[in-house]
Amino acid sequence: MIKAEVKSLDEIKEMLKGYRKVLNTGCGGCVSVCLAGGQKEVNNLNTKLKVVFKQENIPVEIDSFTVERQCEQQFLAELDHIVGPYDALMSMACGAGCQFLAERYPDKPVFPAVDTEFIGVNKDIGWYEERCKACGDCVLGITGGICPVAMCAKGLFNGPCGGPQGESCEVDKEVPCAWVSIYKRLKGQGRLDNILKIYATREWEDQLQGKILLEQYKSRYIQETK
Amino acid sequence: MKSGSKLEKVLSEGKFAVTGELGPPRGTNPDAIKEKAQYLKGMVDSVNITDNQTAVVRMASWAASSLLIQEGLEPNYQMVCRDRNRIAMQSDILGAYALGIRNILCLSGDHQLFGNHPKSKKVFDIDSTQLISMVRKMRDEGTFQNGQEITDPPKMFIGAASNPFGQPYEFRVHRLAKKIEAGADFIQTQCIYNMERFREFIKQANDMGLTEKVYILAGVTPMKALGMARYMQKNVPGMDVPDWVIKRLEGVEKKKQAEEGIKICCEQIEEFKEMKGIAGVHVMAIEWEQRVPEIVEKAGLLPRP
Ligand code: SF4
């Protein structure tokens, strides 16, 4: 899932300065799972902001509303009859949700309250790690289920650089070298052949604005030209 | 001859090659290169010109290589994958060739985190193995990476690096094999201190027939002082400095440590000269170029062809 982190109070305060009435919108999707932007976090942030605004005499009024998912217009629609009186919106969803919110209410300034960090996993409670760069051309089948694009600091495709410190990546002793891990995993499975072959220069599939249109729905969106 | 470079000639004639290394200045003064070049003239067959080594901004390696040619030395133009995509790389290679550069060393490059712009954006559009393939394709097929024809293609003598001391050890020789398959003509190794592991590595390479297909130059770096040895043992990624090196430097008084470091280096070179599968040495005396003549002389590598 997508992992995000709440921005610092200072940064949020700066963004909201000059607005009188702000609606902080949460998201019940990924950001709620990683404890960054669900209903609880929205309330937490608002409580903190109210204290700060009061202390510093900043006349911003802030309310909250959390929708099921901000990456779906159907759920954002719930906000339609609420947003009216607000002169700015804040989103605690990921960057995608935040943009979809802004798209629905193009007249309202929208501010992100979180930084979207990565697509990752829950290692444990409150401990998330990146696993995927959404590169659009998955190689996990070759590399033993360990991603060289996301897990190798240099995104190498043909084996480890000269730098691993023991079994750690050269950039961080706490992080395992992806290629040491790939080697061990494939060796254990008797599939080392996979990485003895050269992996040819790839054509990057993530260099344009991504779009998926499912075959079975195409007719719905594309008018046939005769 | 693939490129006609001096390095290629020396190696293909079966002579024991010697290469040096020179880091371009962190500024615009060409004299910095001229000065270092004076120490290397007549001492080495080709000089590696580093490409923003340790991710610190320096003069472009093609420009410094060109300045080196003006000094009558042959550059080995280093190119890393960190800072350029395939468009910029190929364009630089065309320019480098037009300036008379005939050797290229294809590297991944140190991560930008180690340098002076640690939060810059990395590129790594292609990796070092893919870079080797690309340069080979430009030379042998006369086309760009995309298959389009090049008018007057660059004919480079292609080098690659190998680190026998990094994990996973058993994979290292296979990585070497991949680089050879991709098109590497010569290999320069990481600085060698752990001779035992290196002998094992070369034996593997010999057994796999790799040393028949590629020229391997053994990398050496003389220790300037005990402090340097300790630092390299602990802090330099991919470096394997065994305790015997530390002990030998500890065994002499401080003033004599540099001399002892050079002595160790020369003893290693003596062994490499006899070692099956080794075609030369790569002497990396960074910011210590003035001692290269002494090393090359003591190691009996003079005169150069
Ligand atoms: S040490 Fe391993 S993970 Fe880190 S950059 Fe090198 S190959 Fe990639």
Side-chain angles (χ1 to χ4, degrees):
Chain A
M1 268 183 166
I2 289 174
K3 302 297 172 194
E5 267 183 309
V6 184
K7 284 179 179 284
S8 74
L9 271 186
D10 278 346
E11 194 182 344
I12 296 172
K13 200 176 72 189
E14 273 312 303
M15 288 192 294
L16 299 185
K17 255 188 193 156
Y19 295 95
R20 305 289 302 274
K21 209 170 152 56
V22 175
L23 181 67
N24 185 6
T25 60
C27 174
C30 308
V31 288
S32 149
V33 176
C34 67
L35 311 180
Q39 185 153 25
K40 231 169 87 200
E41 291 74 42
V42 171
N43 292 339
N44 262 340
L45 177 61
N46 281 13
T47 309
K48 283 187 204 158
L49 282 171
K50 278 176 186 161
V51 172
V52 173
F53 290 151
K54 196 165 172 199
Q55 272 171 358
E56 302 183 19
N57 234 334
I58 305 171
V60 183
E61 200 185 301
I62 186 156
D63 297 324
S64 69
F65 194 92
T66 298
V67 299
E68 189 154 345
R69 282 198 301 278
Q70 291 192 22
C71 56
E72 290 213 30
Q73 291 292 351
Q74 172 199 335
F75 296 122
L76 287 175
E78 283 180 56
L79 292 165
D80 289 355
H81 66 284
I82 301 174
V83 297
Y86 294 94
D87 55 359
L89 305 177
M90 186 155 74
S91 169
M92 295 196 77
C94 70
C98 181
Q99 288 184 63
F100 227 23
L101 178 75
E103 198 174 315
R104 190 166 185 98
Y105 308 111
D107 297 337
K108 306 258 181 214
V110 170
F111 299 101
V114 302
D115 289 315
T116 308
E117 304 289 350
F118 48 74
I119 301 177
V121 295
N122 303 357
K123 284 286 283 191
D124 209 328
I125 299 170
W127 173 8
Y128 317 119
E129 282 184 3
E130 182 170 20
R131 287 292 185 274
C132 177
K133 289 274 190 207
C135 74
D137 187 6
C138 194
V139 291
L140 289 171
I142 300 171
T143 55
I146 298 161
C147 176
V149 181
M151 310 299 284
C152 166
K154 299 177 189 168
L156 304 177
F157 283 101
N158 280 292
C161 73
Q165 303 259 58
E167 300 199 343
S168 304
C169 174
E170 68 169 34
V171 300
D172 188 344
K173 286 200 174 83
E174 303 291 309
V175 176
C177 164
W179 275 100
V180 172
S181 309
I182 291 170
Y183 178 82
K184 284 202 209 158
R185 174 87 46 90
L186 289 175
K187 191 175 177 198
Q189 296 178 357
R191 297 166 70 214
L192 272 180
D193 269 2
N194 282 3
I195 54 168
L196 299 184
K197 300 193 274 275
I198 293 176
Y199 184 89
T201 298
R202 71 160 30 192
E203 303 300 317
W204 290 100
E205 301 296 343
D206 59 349
Q207 303 296 300
L208 294 172
Q209 302 88 331
K211 180 176 179 172
I212 298 172
L213 207 51
L214 293 183
E215 201 52 52
Q216 63 270 39
Y217 287 102
K218 264 189 184 153
S219 57
R220 227 170 125 152
Y221 308 109
I222 302 172
Q223 303 262 309
E224 295 280 337
T225 42
K226 293 216 182 106
Chain B
M1 286 292 227
K2 292 169 172 167
S3 73
S5 77
K6 183 173 172 197
L7 180 62
E8 182 180 6
K9 257 179 236 147
V10 171
L11 286 168
S12 62
E13 283 166 9
K15 292 181 184 135
F16 196 77
V18 184
T19 54
E21 191 153 306
L22 189 158
R26 292 160 77 165
T28 58
N29 193 346
D31 293 341
I33 293 162
K34 285 182 196 160
E35 198 196 307
K36 287 179 181 172
Q38 292 323 308
Y39 302 117
L40 300 173
K41 219 171 188 170
M43 301 294 149
V44 297
D45 307 316
S46 179
V47 182
N48 285 36
I49 303 294
T50 54
D51 178 8
N52 298 295
Q53 191 190 349
T54 64
V56 170
V57 180
R58 290 168 182 276
M59 184 187 287
S61 57
W62 62 263
S65 293
S66 174
L67 290 165
L68 192 79
I69 294 174
Q70 290 171 25
E71 292 307 299
L73 275 156
E74 181 176 283
N76 180 18
Y77 166 45
Q78 294 194 185
M79 181 178 270
V80 302
C81 299
R82 177 192 59 232
D83 309 318
R84 294 171 197 80
N85 69 6
R86 66 193 78 176
I87 300 172
M89 286 173 145
Q90 292 177 101
S91 143
D92 279 356
I93 292 165
L94 296 182
Y97 192 80
L99 289 169
I101 294 163
R102 294 292 179 269
N103 307 304
I104 184 170
L105 187 75
C106 306
L107 304 167
S108 311
D110 301 311
H111 195 276
Q112 68 274 24
L113 190 73
F114 296 110
N116 60 355
H117 294 71
K119 298 268 166 140
S120 56
K121 188 169 181 176
K122 66 186 177 189
V123 181
F124 295 108
D125 173 26
I126 63 178
D127 67 21
S128 55
T129 307
Q130 295 162 348
L131 173 57
I132 297 164
S133 310
M134 187 167 80
V135 185
R136 191 204 54 74
K137 190 170 178 184
M138 291 173 86
R139 180 188 68 200
D140 296 348
E141 294 169 33
T143 66
F144 291 111
Q145 188 268 330
N146 67 355
Q148 263 171 17
E149 211 170 297
I150 308 171
T151 38
D152 305 311
K155 303 207 176 286
M156 292 284 189
F157 193 47
I158 305 169
S162 171
N163 181 2
F165 311 106
Q167 288 276 17
Y169 300 132
E170 316 91 80
F171 186 66
R172 291 291 160 176
V173 77
H174 296 289
R175 181 150 161 86
L176 170 66
K178 280 173 95 167
K179 289 185 175 183
I180 297 168
E181 193 193 330
D185 302 306
F186 69 99
I187 300 290
Q188 289 172 318
T189 77
Q190 169 73 288
C191 317
I192 301 160
Y193 297 103
N194 187 340
M195 294 297 278
E196 229 166 283
R197 171 147 293 143
F198 187 70
R199 284 179 206 119
E200 182 51 35
F201 175 80
I202 281 296
K203 189 180 171 297
Q204 278 179 296
N206 283 330
D207 292 346
M208 284 168 69
L210 300 179
T211 49
E212 314 266 304
K213 298 183 197 155
V214 79
Y215 303 109
I216 297 182
L217 279 68
V220 290
T221 291
M223 292 292 187
K224 285 187 205 179
L226 180 59
M228 171 181 171
R230 286 202 176 122
Y231 180 83
M232 283 173 84
Q233 186 175 47
K234 285 217 176 67
N235 300 317
V236 180
M239 199 68 73
D240 180 350
V241 181
D243 289 336
W244 69 261
V245 177
I246 310 277
K247 290 227 174 70
R248 269 191 60 178
L249 293 169
E250 275 172 350
V252 299
E253 49 183 307
K254 197 150 196 228
K255 282 199 312 251
K256 297 244 168 89
Q257 281 169 2
E259 208 176 295
E260 186 68 12
I262 289 179
K263 206 169 148 215
I264 294 173
C265 180
C266 292
E267 290 167 15
Q268 290 180 288
I269 296 175
E270 286 301 338
E271 182 172 346
F272 294 137
K273 285 203 272 186
E274 303 302 321
M275 197 179 277
K276 184 172 175 256
I278 294 297
V281 281
H282 177 45
V283 185
M284 290 167 272
I286 300 272
E287 301 309 326
W288 218 30
E289 291 83 3
Q290 66 272 27
R291 300 300 283 269
V292 171
E294 181 186 339
I295 297 165
V296 178
E297 147 116 76
K298 281 190 177 153
L301 298 167
L302 294 180
R304 298 310 312 149

